[in-house]
């Protein structure tokens, strides 16, 4: 199966370093590039031009609403799909199905859905959600059962612990039915993915660990009579040479304030999320002097996770080296890559003009990007 690449829409703001993150550190609260619609359109148009398939748009109290923001960008783009993240506890499954149907109608089928069961309990409680970690996944299972029932096009009844609906339906089924992307690494999450998801997303652990998770999920899905596709969520720093890429990683590291790192790690240490625990284990909360000290697998850098929650690793290297690592992940079952970088506009050009052609030369994707450029310069803002 060929590789599919997606990018990230920075609806929290953007900047030239990992420290420019409004939801991670006080330093990043006044992010250099505010997420106004013109800047977001600039990023989306670039990503579309560069041959990416879709854009992940996050959910949470630290960013703009994904449904509204991406709907506004439909008129500013032509082809790019939007991977809209939302939390089942924040709206009813019937309303979610209606939103999906309407979105597909007005976008001509450009919706992908990312089901986010929940963040930390403190984040969930901001939305009035007081269920614990495992209960949230049980609710998500029921939510997706109802959504898929509505997508089938007939009035749907369901009685569960968290939801009961009678004659649930939408104006018309979405056409096409948007694929469901789903993340989670815990014992509560994996069976839900096996039963309900189309694509399971995982964060960038080393390839061997990712391969073990893929195999387990394949076995769980087979028990349900289903097959899953698999995606990886990670950052990327790719340049003409390996030295240039690692120099950028070193600059990111040197810009980190030890006090901010300590505060971020204290917060992450309380996490309930198994995937987040695995991200934290890769760097151990240690701020070294050399970026290479956080290279946890050839070309895989754990430094982003010192400040940022969620995806904490980056693919770092020359365009060829980054393609090597993508190919390694592909060999253990990953077909879709949801990537991001700092800033999101410039790094999209580095990847789209450098790595996309390299992947095409290897027969791993169609060369729909502008073409290989041997000596790339970062795109102007």
């Amino acid at each position: 199966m060929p590789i599919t690449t997606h990018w990230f829409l920075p609806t929290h703001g953007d900047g030239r370093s990992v420290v420019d993150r409004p939801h991670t550190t006080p330093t990043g609260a006044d992010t250099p590039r505010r997420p106004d619609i013109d800047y977001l359109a600039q990023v989306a148009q670039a990503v579309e031009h560069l041959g990416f398939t879709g854009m992940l748009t996050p959910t949470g109290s630290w960013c703009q609403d994904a449904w509204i923001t991406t709907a506004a960008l439909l008129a500013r783009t032509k082809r790019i799909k939007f991977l809209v993240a939302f939390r089942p506890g924040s709206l009813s499954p019937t309303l979610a199905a209606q939103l999906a149907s309407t979105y597909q109608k007005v976008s001509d089928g450009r919706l992908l859905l990312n089901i986010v069961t929940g963040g930390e309990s403190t984040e969930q409680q901001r939305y009035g959600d007081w269920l614990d970690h495992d209960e949230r996944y049980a609710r998500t299972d029921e939510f997706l059962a109802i959504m898929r029932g509505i997508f089938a096009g007939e009035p749907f009844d369901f009685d569960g612990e968290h939801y009961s609906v009678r004659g649930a339906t939408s104006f018309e089924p979405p056409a096409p039915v948007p694929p469901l992307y789903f993340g989670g690494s815990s014992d509560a999450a994996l069976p839900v993915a096996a039963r309900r998801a189309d694509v399971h997303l995982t964060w960038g652990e080393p390839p061997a660990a990712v391969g073990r998770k893929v195999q387990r999920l394949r076995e769980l899905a087979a028990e349900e009579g289903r097959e899953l596709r698999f995606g990886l969520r990670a950052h990327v720093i790719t340049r003409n040479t390996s030295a240039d890429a690692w120099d950028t990683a070193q600059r990111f590291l040197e810009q980190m304030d030890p006090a901010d790192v300590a505060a971020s790690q204290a917060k992450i240490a309380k996490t309930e999320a198994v995937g987040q625990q695995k991200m934290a284990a890769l760097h151990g909360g240690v701020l070294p002097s050399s970026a290479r000290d956080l290279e946890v697998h050839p070309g895989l850098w754990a430094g982003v996770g010192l400040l940022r929650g969620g995806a904490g690793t980056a693919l770092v290297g020359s365009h060829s080296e980054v393609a090597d690592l993508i190919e390694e992940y592909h060999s253990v079952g990953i077909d879709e890559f949801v990537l991001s970088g700092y800033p999101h506009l410039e790094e999209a050009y580095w990847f789209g003009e450098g790595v996309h052609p390299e992947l095409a030369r290897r027969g791993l994707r169609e060369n729909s990007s502008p073409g290989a450029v041997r000596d790339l310069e970062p795109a102007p803002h």
Side-chain angles (χ1 to χ4, degrees):
M1 179 179 292
I3 284 172
T4 300
T5 55
H6 308 277
W7 201 246
F8 187 86
L9 188 68
T11 54
H12 43 64
D14 204 1
R16 293 184 176 274
S17 171
V18 66
V19 304
D20 296 324
R21 297 284 302 193
H23 70 296
T24 52
T25 71
T27 307
D30 188 22
T31 184
R33 299 184 190 176
R34 303 302 298 172
D36 62 75
I37 197 66
D38 289 334
Y39 178 65
L40 296 178
Q42 188 178 6
V43 177
Q45 289 164 358
V47 169
E48 183 172 74
H49 170 70
L50 291 163
F52 292 87
T53 295
M55 297 193 77
L56 173 63
T57 310
T59 183
S61 59
W62 47 270
C63 61
Q64 297 177 159
D65 176 75
W67 291 99
I68 294 173
T69 303
T70 59
L73 290 173
L74 290 173
R76 308 281 288 269
T77 53
K78 298 176 181 178
R79 176 195 56 80
I80 198 75
K81 296 182 179 182
F82 291 104
L83 180 50
V84 172
F86 73 97
R87 298 180 182 181
S90 301
L91 72 170
S92 79
T94 306
L95 178 58
Q98 183 181 19
L99 288 168
S101 178
T102 303
Y103 199 111
Q104 290 296 61
K105 189 74 171 179
V106 302
S107 71
D108 196 23
R110 290 163 60 187
L111 176 66
L112 312 170
L113 288 176
N114 181 28
I115 312 303
V116 180
T117 294
E120 301 302 327
S121 291
T122 53
E123 168 79 2
Q124 293 300 116
Q125 290 162 13
R126 294 172 188 168
Y127 292 91
D129 182 6
W130 294 83
L131 297 185
D132 67 23
H133 176 276
D134 288 3
E135 289 174 326
R136 291 198 294 266
Y137 279 103
R139 179 179 60 195
T140 296
D141 190 38
E142 294 184 10
F143 185 102
L144 295 179
I146 296 170
M147 270 193 74
R148 286 200 178 276
I150 296 170
F151 286 168
E154 298 293 334
F156 185 75
D157 295 343
F158 183 89
D159 286 301
E161 181 180 351
H162 299 280
Y163 299 102
S164 293
V165 298
R166 290 289 178 274
T169 188
S170 63
F171 174 70
E172 59 185 0
V177 172
L180 302 182
Y181 290 69
F182 180 92
S185 299
S186 68
D187 290 339
L190 298 185
V192 180
R195 278 191 295 271
R196 309 296 182 195
D198 296 302
V199 182
H200 182 272
L201 289 176
T202 189
W203 288 330
E205 296 178 76
V210 170
R212 289 191 292 271
K213 185 185 295 183
V214 166
Q215 183 57 37
R216 184 181 178 196
L217 276 161
R218 281 177 171 160
E219 293 169 356
L220 290 171
E223 293 173 4
E224 300 285 343
R226 306 184 69 243
E227 293 183 357
L228 288 177
R229 299 194 308 277
F230 299 93
L232 187 86
R233 170 76 183 101
H235 309 281
V236 64
I237 304 171
T238 183
R239 298 291 183 273
N240 294 326
T241 68
S242 183
D244 285 348
W246 282 103
D247 283 349
T248 301
Q250 182 66 33
R251 175 171 58 84
F252 287 177
L253 188 73
E254 291 173 356
Q255 291 173 338
M256 295 181 188
D257 186 326
D260 286 342
V261 171
S264 178
Q265 293 310 302
K267 180 180 177 181
I268 289 173
K270 301 174 184 178
T271 184
E272 303 167 318
V274 172
Q276 186 67 82
Q277 293 166 4
K278 292 181 178 181
M279 286 286 95
L282 292 176
H283 55 67
V286 176
L287 180 62
S289 59
S290 171
R292 286 281 192 173
D293 290 342
L294 293 175
E295 187 179 16
V296 296
H297 179 86
L300 186 65
W301 186 57
V304 178
L306 287 170
L307 280 181
R308 187 195 191 281
T313 52
L315 318 183
V316 181
S318 68
H319 307 311
S320 178
E321 289 170 339
V322 169
D324 287 343
L325 187 50
I326 287 174
E327 191 167 5
E328 188 174 359
Y329 278 117
H330 187 53
S331 73
V332 299
I334 300 297
D335 295 318
E336 303 199 21
F337 293 81
V338 183
L339 303 169
S340 55
Y342 303 102
H344 288 76
L345 178 62
E346 284 90 328
E347 196 64 48
Y349 273 98
W350 281 115
F351 189 93
E353 294 177 338
V355 182
H356 272 169
E358 181 65 29
L359 293 173
R361 280 194 291 270
R362 302 180 187 200
L364 295 175
R365 75 183 306 273
E366 294 181 1
N367 193 0
S368 56
S369 54
V373 179
R374 289 189 179 277
D375 293 309
L376 304 177
E377 296 297 332
H381 171 51

